[in-house]
Amino acid sequence: MSTTTRSNDPEASEIELVIGGMTCASCAARVEKKLNKLTGVSATVNYATEKARVSYTGEVTPADLVETVERTGYTATVPAPRHTVGSSMGAPHQRATLDEPAVAPDAAATLRERLLVSAALTAPVVLLAMVPALQFRDWQWASLVLAAPVVIWGGLPFHRATWLNLRHGQSTMDTLVSIGTLTAFGWSLYALFFGTAGEPGMTHHFTLALQRGSGLDDIYLETAAGVTTFLLAGRYAEARARRRSGDALRALVELGAKDVSILRGDGHGDGDGSHSVEERVPVADLEVGMRFVVRPGEKVATDGEVVQGTSAVDAALLTGESVPVDVGPGDAVVGATVNVGGRLVVRATRVGADTQLEQLARLVEDAQHGKAEVQRLADRVSAIFVPVVLVVAAATLVGWLAMGGGWTAAFTAAVAVLIVACPCALGLATPTALMVGTGRGAQLGLLIRGPEVLESTRAVDTVLLDKTGTVTTGQMFLAEVVPAPGEDAATILRVAGAAEAASAHPVARAIAAAAASDAAVPPVEDFVSLDGLGVTGTVEGREVVVGRLRLLEERSVSIPEQLSYAVSAAQQRGATAVVVGWDGVARGMIAVADTVKPSSADAVRELRRLGLRPVLLTGDNQAAATHVARQVGIDDVVADVLPQGKVDAVKALQAQGRTVAMVGDGVNDAAALAQADLGLAMGTGSDVAIEASDLTLVRGDLRTAPDAIRLARRTLGTIKGNLVWAFAYNVAAIPLAALGLLNPMIAGGAMALSSVFVVTNSLRLRRFTASV
């Protein structure tokens, strides 16, 4: 069983089931309702993907879930993982992977076969009914011979689904189709065998509206066959379109390499791996720590670190970034990127489900499983829609008879109501748009975590931008070292570098790197990192404090006036200044500078064009933050805030009635990303930040933030447009059918076209283009 334990609840497990036999949103709603009735089960069923995402606890087992679905009248299977990969310990383990699309090629092929045969048989039936000049002697019996296979065999999917649901006391869209077509066919049989419709020389005049008549001289074979064929055409087009809507996700999954050349042996020799032997193996056999070769033009098999060689790597297929990135020993590379330069030897650091490619694909699939509030409304409507339509059809029949319309008109109007009311478009409105939108986003490196994110983007009016790593490059470099009187600059840098070596903060990394390049750095003991303030530790027996002036003041460290002035001057120039002290005295100041990303100013302008107010949010000092804000065109700055202060800044804006988006990349941004109404994480940032966000910008380019918001808004707009069409269609069409203004065959064609319209409208999202 392909199950995974949910990280936020150790007692709960999660499983994905492929549901078979669903034909409309009512089916999905019924399966979801039955599963959620089980104790400890929380399920979401997606009609478009034909999958159920189920979380379960207690004594419930996957077998119980499958049995529940089958008792409801549908099939359920657990998809097998694509392959098994080695773990970091060398033992194989099964991992959850993305599977083949729910709309299988053979299912579409079966529908196509039924459609082609039914269309060939239906065409002469419709022509004979519509053109009296073609009605030869006993034409009605020829129509019966042609229409019978269409209604019985062609419509078998509708009849089978209706029977299965009726056995469980349920009704779906197929109930409306089956009852309508079989009733029209049955009436025709009665009129042919027991009425006057079977007499030689009978003629039939076709009309789009209804005509009053006795009924026993009228047949509806063209309606029964035509509606069946129209609906098969709509079902086939829907199946193909739904398959196309998942193309982006499948393409993302298939980006990875299929096999890889691993190196067997110690690989030491003369440094070029000449003592190792290459062996070509499936990528499934890769384990963490293995070395593998990537030749020019080949894909990197998995996430890893370059150990030999230099080259350029093209990540455009995965991130959308068109410029290849130079890599060499010590640089990280991502699976599925393409080596466009020299030969590389890479050590695998992540395999299987842990790779960035698989995580991105899983994020996209998770988003497609969720439901926005607008979809939940559509589900609730669909769940009660079919019974209501049956009542309306019955009322139409009785109403026409009561008004003296005759059995023919009453029957025809009732059948038209049944057929035109099928809520296919309503059930497809949200999931198809969501599938296409999230899939297109994945192609562009914009990952939408869930459908509720779409609704958040519409209301956002303020965007908080983290400074370091988001607006700026985060590539800090040492600007200057200012020693206190009587101190040595080299000693200050060496001691500070030792203390900062254990920190992951960009400022700390810059200081540690600069110190290591000048001299050997001693080890640090008793290291403590204080978020937003600095670090402390013991270096060569000294109790060292490195950080903001506030940290040293809190530790009662004496700060000479010259250093206070140096700190102020560095901050005025836009640099970040830290003070280094030990033995109760500040010994020097180190200034570290950052550079603004060339694209940040363009991104801010685009955010303003979308009607958003940008605010720079940083733990850096006010002077440095203002300096950066001025360069990119931001007027509002919130500086000198700790991680909790960023959360407070978000809350303060929310208290003012603003809907806040937060863009960040670091661990210290995670809480603010989670607090914001919409969190956007830079894909180049920390895993914690990405996990806390709603949208992930894989490329790390701030210009993709407005692109992500535009895509989310466009997807939401498409969903709402689909729902408006679906609701408006049913609201308008049912009264027309009830009043006798729609022939049942025309009603069936219109219903099928409405579903195709919704799906094709969603597919327009495939043409969304990013600004960069």
Side-chain angles (χ1 to χ4, degrees), residues 10-26:
E11 299 300 323
S13 295
E14 192 172 87
I15 191 172
E16 183 180 86
L17 302 175
V18 175
I19 309 298
M22 294 193 301
T23 55
C24 65
S26 297

Side-chain angles (χ1 to χ4, degrees), residues 245-260:
S245 69
D247 283 349
L249 179 57
R250 286 189 293 278
L252 182 67
V253 175
E254 292 166 1
L255 285 179
K258 302 300 183 290
D259 50 29
V260 58

Side-chain angles (χ1 to χ4, degrees), residues 149-225:
V150 176
V151 176
I152 298 171
W153 176 79
L156 187 60
F158 307 113
H159 308 322
R160 183 189 295 120
T162 298
W163 171 245
L164 288 174
N165 283 290
L166 288 177
R167 286 173 56 192
H168 295 87
Q170 308 290 346
S171 59
T172 67
M173 179 203 93
D174 292 299
T175 306
L176 306 181
V177 176
S178 184
I179 291 177
T181 55
L182 289 178
T183 302
F185 185 71
W187 180 282
S188 301
L189 287 178
Y190 183 82
L192 284 170
F193 285 99
F194 302 103
T196 58
E199 295 179 355
M202 188 274 286
T203 59
H204 184 205
H205 297 279
F206 181 83
T207 178
L208 295 180
L210 304 187
Q211 288 183 326
R212 302 188 180 196
S214 65
L216 294 182
D217 57 351
D218 291 315
I219 57 175
Y220 295 94
L221 294 174
E222 81 284 356
T223 294

Side-chain angles (χ1 to χ4, degrees), residues 464-537:
L464 294 178
L465 303 173
D466 172 56
K467 182 177 77 69
T468 305
T470 301
V471 175
T472 65
T473 62
Q475 306 276 330
M476 296 286 190
F477 62 91
L478 182 68
E480 63 176 332
V481 179
V482 179
E487 299 293 339
D488 175 58
T491 301
I492 292 169
L493 179 59
R494 185 171 61 87
V495 173
E500 295 277 32
S503 174
H505 194 280
V507 172
R509 289 201 298 267
I511 294 173
S517 66
D518 285 349
V521 176
V524 61
E525 299 176 353
D526 303 323
F527 172 82
V528 177
S529 177
L530 305 167
D531 283 346
L533 292 174
V535 301
T536 64

Side-chain angles (χ1 to χ4, degrees), residues 339-674:
N339 178 17
V340 296
R343 178 180 183 271
L344 295 175
V345 177
V346 180
R347 178 181 293 109
T349 56
R350 289 190 290 189
V351 297
D354 296 330
T355 63
Q356 183 175 333
L357 176 65
E358 287 283 356
Q359 289 173 352
L360 299 189
R362 179 60 61 185
L363 279 175
V364 175
E365 193 184 39
D366 287 346
Q368 295 180 349
H369 268 285
K371 291 188 179 180
E373 190 57 38
V374 289
Q375 171 65 13
R376 297 188 185 280
L377 172 62
D379 286 350
R380 289 194 293 269
V381 171
S382 296
I384 62 173
F385 193 80
V386 174
V388 169
V389 169
L390 292 174
V391 172
V392 172
T396 299
L397 179 69
V398 173
W400 274 85
L401 291 175
M403 292 186 296
W407 278 99
T408 299
F411 166 76
T412 308
V415 170
V417 168
L418 289 174
I419 293 170
V420 81
C422 297
C424 267
L426 190 62
L428 292 169
T430 295
T432 52
L434 187 61
M435 287 177 68
V436 179
T438 54
R440 180 56 179 157
Q443 289 180 320
L444 298 174
L446 311 172
L447 299 181
I448 303 171
R449 182 173 293 274
E452 63 281 353
V453 173
L454 304 177
E455 291 161 327
S456 299
T457 60
R458 179 68 70 184
V460 166
D461 53 29
T462 304
V463 180
L464 294 178
L465 303 173
D466 172 56
K467 182 177 77 69
T468 305
T470 301
V471 175
T472 65
T473 62
Q475 306 276 330
M476 296 286 190
F477 62 91
L478 182 68
E480 63 176 332
V481 179
V482 179
E487 299 293 339
D488 175 58
T491 301
I492 292 169
L493 179 59
R494 185 171 61 87
V495 173
E500 295 277 32
S503 174
H505 194 280
V507 172
R509 289 201 298 267
I511 294 173
S517 66
D518 285 349
V521 176
V524 61
E525 299 176 353
D526 303 323
F527 172 82
V528 177
S529 177
L530 305 167
D531 283 346
L533 292 174
V535 301
T536 64
T538 302
V539 179
E540 297 178 331
R542 304 179 179 121
E543 295 292 332
V544 179
V545 181
V546 183
R548 295 187 183 192
L549 276 175
R550 187 171 67 176
L551 175 61
L552 276 76
E553 290 169 350
E554 290 177 356
R555 299 300 175 99
S556 300
V557 176
S558 174
I559 302 172
E561 185 177 345
Q562 296 94 324
L563 290 186
S564 296
Y565 175 79
V567 168
S568 178
Q571 291 175 347
Q572 292 297 328
R573 295 192 300 272
T576 299
V578 298
V579 181
V580 184
W582 60 81
D583 296 335
V585 179
R587 309 289 177 168
M589 185 277 298
I590 299 178
V592 176
D594 191 5
T595 55
V596 173
K597 291 180 180 178
S599 59
S600 292
D602 292 338
V604 170
R605 281 193 293 271
E606 182 64 17
L607 289 171
R608 290 188 183 278
R609 195 184 69 79
L610 291 173
L612 305 174
R613 169 194 170 198
V615 178
L616 189 66
L617 180 66
T618 178
D620 212 340
N621 64 84
Q622 184 70 39
T626 302
H627 180 76
V628 170
R630 192 179 300 118
Q631 293 182 65
V632 298
I634 296 177
D635 300 324
D636 301 308
V637 177
V638 179
D640 286 306
V641 290
L642 301 177
Q644 182 56 45
K646 293 184 178 183
V647 175
D648 293 338
V650 174
K651 290 181 178 178
L653 287 168
Q654 290 172 330
Q656 296 172 16
R658 293 189 171 272
T659 304
V660 181
M662 168 75 186
V663 185
D665 73 322
V667 174
N668 61 347
D669 298 322
L673 287 168

